[in-house]
Amino acid sequence: MSVTFWAQYAWLPHVNGQVVERDVLIGTVDGGRIAEVTPDSGPCPPGAVRLEGLLVPGQANAHSHAFHRALRGTVQVGSGTFWTWRDTMYRVASALDPDSYLALATAVYAEMALAGITAVGEFHYLHHAPGGARYDDPNAMGEALIEAAARAGIRITLLDTCYLASGFGTEPTKPQLRFSDGDADAWAARADGLKPREHARIGAAVHSVRAVPADQLDTVAHWSSMRRAPLHVHLSEQTAENDACLNAHGVTPTRLLADHGVLGPRTSAVHATHLTDEDVRLLADSATTICMCPTTERDLADGIGPARRLASAGCPVTLGSDSHAVIDPFEEARALELNERLHTRTRGHWTANALLRAGTEDGHASLGWPESGRIEVGALADFTVLALDSVRTAGPPARLGAETAVFAASAADVRHVVVGGRQIVRDGVHQLVTDVPAALRDSIAALSS
Ligand SMILES: [Zn+2]
């Protein structure tokens, strides 16, 4: 089915960079690809779907753990550390089974859709039943996530995560038993059972150098290499990880990953907060993507990673909501710049266009969807429309739409969302999940009942 959309304004690629154009006709064809982009087309023609506001490419949430959404609020009581936060997270994880995870993840992905997110990279390590027993389908949990994305109408890259150890030379702890396949060969054999679909692609992840012994890293890297699949890894989020890695191997986590073939242009290093000069060089020389998760990193008191330095050295940068302390891709984007401002006491490290690109084109590429994230002929018809007449966005001229989107808008300003030419959010209402707050409330309450 071909559908034509008319956007009041759209942020479009241009020979001189991105520009905001008005009265943009976007035609789509079977398969949900963009067949026509015509700016200055005049008023909305009969039969076209009218989209008031600023149309931007769909947002790619490059790093998600869907079940962390159940922690919102509860982990803000008192103080604690990253490690006490993790203990609470493990308690929630222990309550999930394929049915309850399907319900929770459907609600979380619907929240993402309402925030303008059209593709999620799910860093998935909750593979087995509590204690480590296998489900009848050993991929039942991963399949629940793929189905949840379908129900919420968004794309997913399931980053099936290898997680084998609780630390360097230590076996998994009790809550971690359900994360482990035993060794990387068994992980690969199970991951082989996952198949891509129209809305879903399969990638790999190394949980971290803490959780995957060095002699197992090559197997995961090889698996992703053979499939040309994305490979993601948590990297140096905490200085304790760096210290333990140096103690065990005499090298930094980045160096260890480089020595075992984990870095490269299909790889995303998530966080990359505490790096040495050599780490930065290794990541840049290998064209590894850096996924920053600013709202989670500030929530967990991780520190401010060297995103600007890495980008200047040549690393693409993407954005993720990770623990879902909030789900707001515009907040993630502006936090990248605003963190740098606080850190350096100077302004102007990232343009609004560069920040939007991180959340769209580069984010999709890092998840193995290089044909999404741009409004151009041949690309997937994935886009998000932001209100320019809300209390947050009214006032600036439309030509400053990118600046308004990044520095003033919030998820609450997302008015329409289209994935593959299909409208899944209309006037701020999800078209597939009828009551998203109730779905979140009920699926989270079910975990403590
Ligand atoms: Zn994470």
Side-chain angles (χ1 to χ4, degrees):
M1 189 178 68
S2 61
V3 181
T4 299
F5 298 90
W6 175 90
Q8 185 185 19
Y9 299 100
W11 183 74
L12 299 178
H14 188 269
V15 284
N16 298 319
Q18 298 282 139
V19 293
V20 174
E21 305 269 16
R22 62 180 305 151
D23 301 335
V24 181
L25 269 186
I26 299 175
T28 66
V29 290
D30 290 350
R33 287 184 186 262
I34 296 172
E36 175 199 354
V37 180
T38 308
D40 296 316
S41 65
C44 181
V49 178
R50 182 184 182 88
L51 302 173
E52 295 265 352
L54 174 71
L55 184 146
V56 298
Q59 305 293 304
N61 189 357
H63 189 66
S64 161
H65 309 282
F67 73 94
H68 291 191
R69 175 63 177 83
L71 300 169
R72 193 177 292 180
T74 61
V75 284
Q76 306 298 356
V77 179
S79 55
T81 66
F82 174 90
W83 307 104
T84 59
W85 171 91
R86 194 179 69 160
D87 289 340
T88 309
M89 184 263 284
Y90 284 169
R91 278 201 293 282
V92 170
S94 69
L96 285 161
D97 62 24
D99 289 340
S100 57
Y101 208 6
L102 172 60
L104 174 61
T106 300
V108 175
Y109 295 157
E111 180 184 354
M112 288 186 194
L114 289 171
I117 291 161
T118 57
V120 62
E122 181 65 35
F123 197 106
H124 166 58
Y125 52 83
L126 212 50
H127 302 304
H128 306 298
R134 277 27 178 181
Y135 292 112
D136 291 344
D137 172 358
N139 284 313
M141 294 293 267
E143 291 290 346
L145 291 162
I146 291 172
E147 173 63 18
R151 292 187 185 187
I154 67 172
R155 301 184 195 280
I156 184 171
T157 297
L158 189 74
L159 299 160
D160 196 288
T161 303
C162 187
Y163 194 130
L164 306 172
S166 76
F168 296 93
T170 50
E171 295 294 309
T173 59
K174 193 162 172 241
Q176 294 166 341
L177 286 172
R178 64 184 309 190
F179 310 161
S180 177
D181 292 293
D183 61 29
D185 285 331
W187 165 84
R190 183 185 49 70
D192 276 340
L194 291 161
K195 301 296 177 219
R197 0 245 129 117
E198 190 180 345
H199 78 292
R201 292 184 179 164
I202 310 300
V206 167
H207 179 276
S208 59
V209 293
R210 284 178 279 128
V212 180
D215 64 0
Q216 306 288 299
L217 290 169
D218 306 81
T219 303
V220 185
H222 180 71
W223 188 95
S224 75
S225 171
M226 295 307 288
R227 289 157 185 76
R228 314 235 23 94
L231 175 59
H232 287 220
V233 54
H234 287 131
L235 177 64
S236 295
E237 181 180 8
Q238 298 286 324
T239 52
E241 173 180 296
N242 290 358
D243 296 344
C245 188
L246 281 164
N247 198 33
H249 295 291
V251 294
T252 64
T254 304
R255 176 88 247 176
L256 192 68
L257 294 175
D259 289 348
H260 289 275
V262 176
L263 303 184
R266 278 179 297 96
T267 298
S268 289
V270 182
H271 304 303
T273 313
H274 304 286
L275 302 182
T276 66
D277 291 347
E278 197 211 0
D279 293 341
V280 171
R281 187 182 59 73
L282 287 169
L283 291 162
D285 287 353
S286 59
T288 298
T289 293
I290 305 301
C291 180
M292 301 296 288
C293 306
T295 66
T296 292
E297 288 150 8
R298 72 191 186 202
D299 183 66
L300 292 174
D302 290 342
I304 300 171
R308 182 61 262 174
R309 206 176 146 208
L310 287 156
S312 298
C315 296
V317 172
T318 63
L319 298 164
S321 65
D322 189 5
S323 70
H324 315 311
V326 296
I327 295 177
D328 186 336
F330 309 100
E331 176 63 30
E332 302 292 347
R334 74 175 145 262
L336 207 59
E337 165 68 17
L338 299 182
N339 280 352
E340 293 280 356
R341 291 185 188 181
L342 286 173
H343 189 59
T344 62
R345 294 189 290 162
T346 58
R347 307 175 86 228
H349 305 273
W350 308 81
T351 64
N353 281 343
L355 292 167
L356 271 182
R357 180 183 160 131
T360 56
E361 184 174 352
D362 290 343
H364 281 95
S366 79
L367 296 177
W369 297 93
E371 70 274 57
S372 188
R374 283 170 73 83
I375 306 301
E376 64 184 14
V377 172
L380 290 170
D382 300 346
F383 38 83
T384 293
V385 180
L386 285 162
L388 292 179
D389 56 0
S390 77
V391 289
R392 287 164 294 276
T393 59
R399 66 181 167 76
L400 298 181
E403 287 76 7
T404 307
V406 169
F407 289 104
S410 79
D413 295 310
V414 170
R415 186 171 277 165
H416 308 291
V417 178
V418 171
V419 181
R422 173 194 193 199
Q423 193 160 1
I424 58 163
V425 174
R426 179 173 288 133
D427 292 321
V429 177
H430 203 291
Q431 301 297 292
L432 307 174
V433 179
T434 47
D435 187 342
V436 179
L440 286 161
R441 180 196 64 212
D442 294 347
S443 61
I444 292 169
L447 302 181
S448 52
S449 63

